[in-house]
Amino acid sequence: MGNGAVQEARQARKPRVSVKGEQTRARLIVAARSLLAGEDDVPFTTRNVSALAGVTHGMCHYHFKDRTDLIVAVVADIRPEWVTPMEEAVAGPGSFDERAERVIALLSQPEAADLARMHAALHWFSLTDERVRAALEGEYARWRACFVELYRVLATEREGGVDARPLVDAETLGEALAAAADGLAAIQSLGSEVNAAAVVRALVYGLVAGADRLSA
């Protein structure tokens, strides 16, 4: 086989190796998520994650330097399940009312049990691990920014309106809605009798009405 053929063969093998590596990494993250969301008492260690994923402990440390690296990867991995849908709901087309209804629909859905347990575990690790805390804070910052952006849409609509209503303090109202939404999630976990959609709708529009009265 000539040098050109050898080089082509090596290049052909690289994508397969890369794909295999990504598959192994994904299996480790799935296993890490399972342990974090588990209801048993299996300690969260790289050795236990490796065993659950069916890979060697050395291979786990090839992809993740330590336990913190693995936890931070989980923080990023769950983003599409709670942050991204909210970003898309606010960034989508429509008026403030239309976007607000999409936000209300999302906030009205009870958090999945496994995701709730993962969030609880991640918060626990963040108390003693600065890197986990930084990663988690970054995700929550993105989540809160969605609500700020929602009220910025209303502020923009008012700027172009003909009435004399005061402009919206988007940052204050957005942060207030985020804090209230966290509280609602806790209430929902304690009782199913809460009308989540009605509560969230009251929050979204009640914050605006209250701000208007204070600034009038």
Side-chain angles (χ1 to χ4, degrees), residues 6 8 32 67 77 99 165 182 188 206-207 211 213:
V6 171
E8 288 179 4
R67 185 182 71 170
D77 191 67
R99 299 178 200 220
R165 289 184 300 172
D182 273 341
Q188 284 179 287
L207 286 169
R213 290 189 63 182

Side-chain angles (χ1 to χ4, degrees), residues 17-31 49 53-56 58-64 70:
V17 172
S18 176
V19 168
K20 184 177 180 181
E22 287 299 315
Q23 289 174 341
T24 300
R25 188 178 189 278
R27 284 167 59 190
L28 287 164
I29 292 175
V30 169
V49 170
V55 303
T56 65
M59 182 59 67
C60 179
H61 282 285
Y62 173 81
H63 290 281
F64 302 100
L70 193 48

